[in-house]
Amino acid sequence: MASILDEYEDSLYRSASVQQSRAAVGIPHSGYVNARLEKETPIFNKQRIDFAPPEKINSLVVSSNQLCMSLGKDTLLRIDLGKPDEPNQVELGRKDEARVYKMFLDHTGSHLLIALNTSECLYLNRSVQKVRALSRWKGHLIESVGWNKFLGSETNTGPILVGTAQGQIYEAEISVSEGSLFSTNPDQYFRQVYTLEEESGPAPVCCLEIERGIEGKFFIIATTRKRLFQFVGKVPEGTEQQGFSSIFALHTDHLPSFREFPANLGFSEIAFYTPKLRSSPRSFAWMMGNGVLYGTLDYSRPDSILSDERVWVYPSDIDITVNKPISIVLTQFHFLLLLPDRVKAVCTLNGQVVFQDLFLEKFGLLTRMIKDPTVQQIWIHTEKVVFRYHVQRESRDVWKMYMNMNKFDLAKEYCKDRPECLDIVLAKEAEHCFQNKRYLESAKCYALTQSYFEEIALKFIEAKQEEALMEFLIKKLSNLKPSEKTQTTLLTTWLTELYLNWLGILEGDPAQRNLYLDTREKFRTFLSSPRNKDCLFNNRASIYELLASHGDTEHMVYFAVIMQDYERVIAHHCQHDEYDEALNVLSRHRDEKLFYKFSPVLIQHIPKKVVDAWISMGSRLDARNLIPALVNYSQSASTQQINEAIRYMEFCVYQLEETQQAIHNYLLSLYALCRPDSLLSYLEQAGTNPNRIHYDLKYALRLCAEHGHHHACVHIYKVMELYEEAVDLALQVDVDLAKSCADLPEDDEELRKKLWLKIARHVVQEEKDVKKAMACLSSCALLKIEDVLPFFPDFVTIDHFKEAICNSLEDYNKHIEELKREMEEATQSAKRIREDIQEMRNKYGSVEPQEKCAACDFPLLNRPFYLFLCGHMFHYDCLLQAVLPNLPAYKQAKLEDLQKKLAATGQPSKSHHRSKDADTISLGKGQQSREQIKADIDDIVAAECVYCGELMIRSIDKPFIDPQKYEEEMQSWL
C-alpha cells in the first residue's frame, strides 16, 4: 500500500507540470467559467425626470417619497412620488423681493421649513395648502435643521434643533392644531441652547443630526466649515418632550469634543447611511476642505459615537479652489460627490473612484444632490432639469475590495451567493495564509476551492507540511459527493497512511506526548466517522494491510471493532493469550457464530467463565454446535473440569428443555464416565415411554454395558420392552429387581409366567433356596406348584412342598365350585328367555273403530296398518313414507327389492287357503313365499315406532324444512 501512495505522489508532480502548461495558455484553474451573457447594469443608474419646470428651480428636498420643489420667486410644488400625476402647487404669497434660501423636510415628509434670504422662515404641513410664517424665527438665517426622529409625528415635530448662519443653535417645536389649523401660532417656542465657534469666532452651523444611543443617551452632531462637534448626554426618562437643553448645559463651561481640519470650503456637509429595517444610521461621511471624513457610528461608546474614522482625500481632478464639491450623499459602500458638471462615486473601502457621470452643458450647472433615506434614491437638479439615480446591487464588487484588503471574511460574506467569486476569494485567502506560513488555515481554504487537487497537495508536500496536508485532505474528503467513490477511497487510504506515519513519529518522542494523544484521538475520530464508514468498510482489507505494515496492533483492534469485525478482535486477543478479553468481546456482542468458532480455544483455558457465558446466552446458542468443543476439552481434562461440561449440558436439558438427541446422548456419556449415580436418576427422570425419551436407547444401552452400569441397563431394557433380557440381567444383580421387571408385561400372561419361571429357576438352581422359590409362588398368581417342581432336584423331600400342594388343591376345589355355580346360573337364564319368547307370541292389542293414523289423521281401519306396543298406529303407506328417507342406503335398496318381489307374487286366492303341498313346491323351487317377503318388509319398516324409536332421536338435529326446498317453501307462504 505504501508503494501505491508513493506512486500517487509521483503522479502529482507529473500532473503539476501539466497544470503549469495549462496556465501558460490561459486555461483557468477554477472549476467555474465566469461568462456574462449580457451587459451588466451600472450600480448607479441615472434617469432624467420627464418634467419641464415653468420657472427655474431654486431648491429641492425629498423624504419618505414626498418631493418639494421651489420654483422661481413665489411658487412651491409638492409631489407625492407614489402619485406623480397629481402635483400640488402652493403660492408663498410674498410681495417683496424675498427668495427661498434653503428648504428642510423632515423624515416623515410632513413638515417643510422654508428659509428665506431675508432671515425669515415659513412652515408648510403636508395636510394643508397655506404657508404660515414662524414669527419667533424672524431675524435668523437658517442653515440647518436637526429633526427629532423619535418624538416627531405628522402634526408635531417634537423638540428639534435649528442652526443659523451666525453659529447659534436653537431648540424649537412646531405643532399643528387639528381643530382649526393655524388658529394659533405653530411655533411653540424658539430658544437658544448653544453657539458654535471656530478660532475666528462664531461660525455657521452647516449640519445638525440627533441620534439616540443605549440607556437613554443622546448624541448630537453639529458641523461648521472646519469643525465637527459632538454633544453627548442623557435625557431623563419621561422628560424627552422638554428638549435637549440639559445636554447642551453640560458644555457651558468647556467645549465639547470636536474634530477640526485646516482646509476650508466655505461650508461643509455631512451625510448618513441608514440600512433598511433600521432606524439609526450606521455610517457617516463629512465633506469638508481636506476631503471626506468617513467612519461608522458606534452607539455603545460612552463619549463619542464616531468610530473607525478615516479621511479620503478628493480625487486628483478636484481642486477646491476651482471646482469644489457642492453636495455629498452616502450609500452603503460609496459616497457620491456633486461637482458643477459631474457626479463622482468613491468607494468607502479603498477611496477609489468607481463611477463618474458627466452632465451636458445644455442642462446647466448642477445645483444640489439629495437622497431620500426611506427609498434610497438620489436626486440631482439644475435650474432646468431633475435627475434621479437608482442604486442597484451596490455590493456586487465589494468582495473584490475586501479581498484585496485581505479582509477575507467580509469578502466571503458578500459573495456567498456567487460561487465563482467565492472560489476566487477562498483561493486568495489560502494563498495569503500559505505565504504567511499559516499552513493549517491555508489547507482549510484550499479544500473549499476548485483549484487542482494535485497542485495543492504538491504545495504542502514540497513545504513538508504533513499536518496541513492532512487537514487539506480531510476537508476535501468532507466535500466529496457520495457518488465520487474513487476519490473518496483514494483520500481515505492516503489519510490513513499519513496518520500512521505521523503517529509513528510522535510516539517515539516523549516531549510530544500531548500532541501524540491529540493526533491519536483525531485518527480514531476519522476512523469512526459515519461519513467514512462505507468507504472504510469496502476497503477494510487495504486498511488492515496499512495498519499491519506499521505494526499498529492497537489501532488494528480499534478499527476492527468499528468495522464490527469482532472475529479479528477475538483472534488477536487469543493470539496474545488475552482469553478474558476475548471472552468479554464475545459476551458483549453475543454473536453465535463467533461463540461456535472460538469456544474450543477458550474452554481450554477458562472453562468456568466460558460455560457461564454460554449459560448467559441461553437459547440463542445451539448446544449441538458446542459439543465438539466440549468433546475435545473433556478428552484432555480432569474430572473436575469435566463437571463444567456436565453443568452446561444439564442447563440445556433441565432449563432450556432441549430435546435434541445429540445433547442427551452426550450428557449420558458424561454421566457414564464420571457420574454413575446421576446416570440412573437421569434415566428414571426421562421416563419409560419410548416416544417421549430424547436419548438413543441403543446407544445408551451400549454405553452403560461398556461401563458396567447394570442397573441402568436393566432400566433401558424395560423401556425397550425387552423384559426377558431385563430379567436375565437383573438376576445377575438383584432378584427383587428381576421380580419388578417380571410384572411389567401386564397384558401378556404367558410372558409374565415365563419371566417368573426364570426367576424361580434362578432361585432354585442358582441360589438353592426353596423358601424363596415358594415365595415366588405367592408373588405371582400365574405360577403353580406343578410349574416349579421340575426345577427342584430329585432328592428334595415332599415336606418342603406340603403346604404349597395343599394350597394348590384348595384352589382347584374352589375353582370347580365356581364353575358349577356359573353353569346353574346359565341354565336359569335360558329358561327365563324361553318363557319371555312364548309370552311375546301370545301378546295382542285392540283397535277401536274410531282410531286414526298418527301420521295422516285419517281413519286407521280404511287401509292396512301397524300397531306398536307404545300405542302409536300408522297406515302402512304412511309409515313407509316416514321411515324410508331415514333408512341407510343399503336398507333402502333391500326394501325396494322386497317390494318388487312382493308385487311379482301377485294377489292371493280368494279362499285364502293354500295347501301345504303348494307351499312346499314353491319353497322347493327356491322362491320365498309371500308371507316371508311381507315379514322381511315388516322387519325393515316396522322395526320400531317412528315416533318413539331411535329414528326420532337421530332426526333431532335435522331442519324442519329441507334446505334444498327452502326457497320453494318460502314462496308458497307468500
Side-chain angles (χ1 to χ4, degrees), residues 29 81 218 433 460 605 611 814:
H29 284 212
L81 296 177
F218 280 82
C433 294
F460 291 114
H605 301 87
V611 172
K814 290 179 181 179

Side-chain angles (χ1 to χ4, degrees), residues 377-395:
Q377 291 180 349
I378 301 171
W379 296 79
I380 298 176
H381 72 91
T382 66
E383 292 182 348
K384 304 176 183 179
V385 185
V386 178
F387 297 94
R388 177 172 57 189
Y389 281 94
H390 293 275
V391 183
Q392 297 179 339
R393 294 178 56 237
E394 184 182 3
S395 62

Side-chain angles (χ1 to χ4, degrees), residues 44 292 313-319 323 325 327-330 334-347 352-359 366 369 378 380 389:
F44 302 99
V292 176
V313 297
Y314 294 120
S316 58
D317 59 344
I318 296 179
D319 186 355
N323 58 342
S327 292
I328 185 171
V329 162
L330 180 62
H334 303 85
F335 59 82
L336 279 72
L337 296 175
L338 180 69
L339 300 171
D341 61 346
R342 69 192 65 193
V343 173
K344 286 183 178 288
V346 179
C347 179
Q352 300 295 318
V353 176
V354 297
F355 172 79
Q356 179 171 280
D357 193 5
L358 185 64
F359 288 77
L366 300 179
M369 176 172 61
I378 301 171
I380 298 176
Y389 281 94

